[in-house]
Amino acid sequence: MLREPARLIAYRRLLLDVALTAGSFLFAHQLRSDVLPRVLPGLFPSGLYPFSDYLPLLAVVLPLWMLLLAAHRLTAPGEVLSLRREAFKEMRVAVLGVLVLAAASYLLRLDFISRPFLLLFGLTNGVVLAAARIAERRTALGRKLAEAPERVVVVVGCGDEGVAVARQVAAHRAWGLRLLGLVDADGCGRAEAGGFPVVADLASLFDLLTREVVDEVVLAVPTRQLGELEPALVRCQELGVRVRVALRPFPHLQPHVEVEALNGIPLLTFATSPIAPFALFVKRVIDVAASAAALLLLSPLWLLLVAAVRLTSRGPVLYRQVRCGLHGRRFTLLKFRTMVENADRMRAEVEHLNVMDGPVFKAPSDPRVTPVGHLLRRSSLDELPQLLNVLVGDMALVGPRPPIPEEVEQYEPWQRRRLAMKPGITCLWQISGRSNLDFATWMELDLAYIDHWSLWLDTKIMALTVPAVFSGRGAA
């Protein structure tokens, strides 16, 4: 979707949802404070604190909901959600927000916040937000409110590129785009192309722009022909008409595309990993906050594990190994030592025990592993020190597992793309069987994670990691 109409629709929707959330908050308070004590006095013998006491909570709820709504609405470029998925996303915002409020009220001892009130607020808000999305799709008024202001578009080009752009414009009236017609850039004299009217040629484009209301002109011609259209672009600028260029210089590639400026020089960016600065920033904030909190809360467990490793075998407590991070950057990965001292030098002696194909090594019956090491690996507790790697920015909580340089040297070209995203402690491989999977499937899962990444995907992986760790399935 084009950025400007997308932002207008998003801002309008966010403003509506904030108002609906505030209304849900007030409704839930009135319901719990006045209605339920009268209707169900046995279950609700007394009302709530006055609404004025809940105003500080509302001041927290509104920005929190804005953040959650913005994060949940981040989608891949060109992705259009089904109505059911979009409604479920809205309800998830309400559920997640209420869980955050409930946890905060418990940890901060905010006893004036009623748990039944939070439940009523979450239910009301989830239903109202989902109903708003349904109304946007299913009612005339809702569709009108969800549309961006009208922009009349002319597409220059009658070939395959021009027709493809015209079809997209015609199919998305909700974005505020209305197609006036095509402009013949080849001088073929056609009256129509692909079922769309040809309203002018390059020679008469100036007259068309002065005679008709035209907000935007889209140049959709083969890349080699763009230089010939510079006079048309100059004329559009003279008239104050916005010009867009439909670019597909590499039609066989399907990357994430973005246009940026380097000190005034336009750069067309082709990326194989998500281009979502805000979502990636939120991901990093979560990584820092969660890893710092986990390091603090799990410090007693750390002391026990340090003592267990130190007292049961010779050697350092922490095992350090050089790994490859984002785009091959080298860093030192930390783990609790689970093998005997100098185990790396004994690798050749146990090579025949490897159960994995490809360049990786996994041996469930590795004789180098100590008794305590078996327990740490089985429970994945040996990876706790990687929270330090997350805290300093070498890793993330969720992402492809970081390989050693020797493995990367043996990768096929398509497998190197897994380095396009910061490595993590857990990922799809971790929750899908770990060592039970072959190497090719592991790589495909990592690439699927990169191609479909979202904050919600990270949340699901984190939630599924807990039972995967407790089950020990595929741990080696």
Side-chain angles (χ1 to χ4, degrees):
M1 186 173 183
L2 296 177
R3 186 174 299 174
E4 184 177 345
R7 283 178 175 173
L8 288 172
I9 294 172
Y11 295 155
R12 186 186 297 168
R13 177 184 285 183
L14 188 60
L15 182 62
L16 171 65
D17 288 347
V18 168
L20 292 175
T21 299
S24 301
F25 190 94
L26 177 60
F27 175 81
H29 184 276
Q30 291 298 109
L31 186 64
R32 172 63 186 86
S33 181
D34 297 333
V35 178
L36 291 180
R38 281 184 283 179
V39 177
L40 300 170
L43 293 177
F44 304 97
S46 61
L48 292 178
Y49 285 85
F51 186 72
S52 58
D53 290 352
Y54 274 72
L55 285 177
L57 179 61
L58 180 60
V60 172
V61 164
L62 296 184
L64 174 61
W65 254 245
M66 290 175 68
L67 180 63
L68 292 174
L69 287 166
H72 268 65
R73 287 171 182 169
L74 293 170
T75 57
E79 181 181 3
V80 179
L81 297 179
S82 66
L83 177 57
R84 189 171 76 169
R85 280 189 64 194
E86 191 172 23
F88 279 152
K89 270 196 167 190
E90 303 297 278
M91 289 189 284
R92 278 204 301 262
V93 168
V95 171
L96 183 58
V98 167
L99 289 176
V100 171
L101 294 178
S105 66
Y106 174 77
L107 294 174
L108 300 176
R109 299 291 189 268
L110 303 178
D111 297 329
F112 74 94
I113 299 178
S114 164
R115 304 298 186 272
F117 161 75
L118 290 179
L119 180 60
L120 289 171
F121 169 54
L123 288 173
T124 303
N125 187 239
V127 170
V128 168
L129 292 179
R133 301 293 81 79
I134 294 172
E136 284 178 0
R137 303 273 191 106
R138 296 291 175 82
T139 67
L141 178 60
R143 287 192 292 269
K144 186 67 177 176
L145 292 174
E147 287 182 357
E150 182 182 81
R151 300 188 67 83
V152 180
V153 178
V154 167
V155 177
V156 176
C158 295
D160 294 339
E161 295 87 351
V163 171
V165 171
R167 284 176 180 154
Q168 289 296 318
V169 172
H172 295 92
R173 288 297 302 272
W175 297 358
L177 304 177
R178 181 170 69 84
L179 180 67
L180 181 63
L182 305 180
V183 172
D184 185 0
D186 302 318
C188 298
R190 287 178 286 184
E192 63 89 26
F196 301 103
V198 176
V199 294
D201 56 21
L202 288 179
S204 59
L205 177 60
F206 180 80
D207 293 336
L208 175 71
L209 297 179
T210 55
R211 186 178 69 252
E212 301 285 350
V213 174
V214 177
D215 298 295
E216 298 186 10
V217 171
V218 180
L219 306 183
V221 296
T223 306
R224 63 181 182 277
Q225 194 178 343
L226 283 175
E228 303 171 11
L229 299 183
E230 185 176 357
L233 195 152
V234 172
R235 279 299 181 92
C236 291
Q237 284 195 323
E238 289 176 354
L239 296 174
V241 177
R242 176 179 295 181
V243 177
R244 301 182 189 270
V245 179
L247 286 176
R248 287 202 66 192
F250 311 111
H252 300 294
L253 298 181
Q254 298 294 331
H256 303 277
V257 181
E258 187 172 89
V259 178
E260 300 173 286
L262 177 62
N263 198 24
I265 303 174
L267 298 178
L268 188 63
T269 303
F270 295 87
T272 56
S273 57
I275 302 177
F278 177 73
L280 292 172
F281 170 74
V282 173
K283 176 181 173 73
R284 179 59 188 152
V285 170
I286 293 173
D287 285 343
V288 172
S291 59
L295 287 168
L296 181 62
L297 295 174
L298 298 176
S299 54
L301 178 60
W302 269 64
L303 294 176
L304 291 175
L305 297 178
V306 167
V309 175
R310 173 69 72 181
L311 296 175
T312 58
S313 61
R314 295 178 54 187
V317 171
L318 292 180
Y319 173 70
R320 293 172 169 83
Q321 187 178 46
V322 175
R323 297 288 184 104
C324 292
L326 182 64
H327 295 299
R329 290 174 174 83
R330 306 290 178 89
F331 72 97
T332 301
L333 178 134
L334 302 176
K335 299 177 71 173
F336 282 122
R337 182 175 55 81
T338 59
M339 292 186 175
V340 297
E341 193 174 14
N342 299 322
D344 288 340
R345 300 176 185 175
M346 305 164 58
R347 167 74 178 268
E349 301 174 17
V350 295
E351 196 71 43
H352 64 284
L353 300 176
N354 186 17
V355 298
M356 292 288 290
D357 59 345
V360 294
F361 179 86
K362 291 286 182 181
S365 56
D366 195 327
R368 299 172 298 168
V369 179
T370 65
V372 170
H374 277 295
L375 295 176
L376 293 180
R377 288 187 168 205
R378 183 73 179 175
S379 60
S380 296
L381 290 175
D382 61 319
E383 298 182 359
L384 277 183
Q386 290 167 40
L387 291 171
L388 292 170
N389 292 116
V390 174
L391 191 61
V392 300
D394 292 326
M395 294 178 61
L397 291 175
V398 183
R401 290 295 295 155
I404 60 176
E406 292 77 9
E407 294 173 359
V408 175
E409 291 173 0
Q410 301 178 57
Y411 279 180
E412 296 180 22
W414 67 271
Q415 294 167 347
R416 290 187 65 91
R417 189 161 70 87
R418 69 187 298 269
L419 302 177
M421 203 154 185
K422 187 179 291 187
I425 296 177
T426 184
C427 200
L428 293 175
W429 172 75
Q430 178 85 6
I431 63 175
S432 302
R434 293 191 274 185
S435 298
N436 294 336
L437 302 176
D438 60 73
F439 181 71
T441 302
W442 177 2
M443 296 296 101
E444 289 169 359
L445 286 172
D446 284 345
L447 297 183
Y449 168 77
I450 293 173
D451 292 337
H452 299 94
W453 178 80
S454 68
L455 290 173
W456 178 242
L457 178 58
D458 274 6
T459 303
K460 289 192 288 187
I461 291 174
M462 289 294 294
L464 292 173
T465 296
V466 177
V469 168
F470 279 113
S471 71
R473 184 165 59 98

